[in-house]
Amino acid sequence: MKASELRAKSGDELNKELMELLKAQFGLRMQHATQQLTNSSQLRKVRRDIARVRTVLKQKAASK
């Protein structure tokens, strides 16, 4: 997910995307804890996507 794609979305869409990413992160953390996660790089990708969404949300809030 690119920041330019996120900037094109509205605030509500970004909040929805953030909730989905947080749920995905929780699921990945549980899989990791129970030794079921085969691709641990997914954790890093989701964490960075969450940071991107939060950054764009803060930028949109600051510009208003």
Side-chain angles (χ1 to χ4, degrees):
M1 176 178 325
K2 295 186 177 182
S4 59
E5 295 171 4
L6 293 174
R7 286 188 185 99
K9 293 185 178 185
S10 70
D12 290 335
E13 291 173 329
L14 288 173
N15 283 324
K16 183 179 176 186
E17 183 76 27
L18 181 61
M19 287 298 125
E20 291 174 9
L21 287 169
L22 288 171
K23 287 179 184 178
Q25 183 187 31
F26 178 77
L28 289 172
R29 280 198 333 251
M30 290 301 113
Q31 287 181 8
H32 183 67
T34 59
Q35 309 274 317
Q36 295 175 346
L37 186 63
T38 56
N39 187 3
S40 60
S41 68
Q42 290 175 331
L43 281 169
R44 179 179 178 187
K45 289 177 186 175
V46 170
R47 193 172 65 239
R48 288 184 178 209
D49 284 343
I50 290 170
R52 280 188 195 99
V53 170
R54 286 182 172 163
T55 299
V56 172
L57 277 170
K58 292 229 183 230
Q59 288 173 347
K60 285 185 180 267
S63 66
K64 288 184 179 182

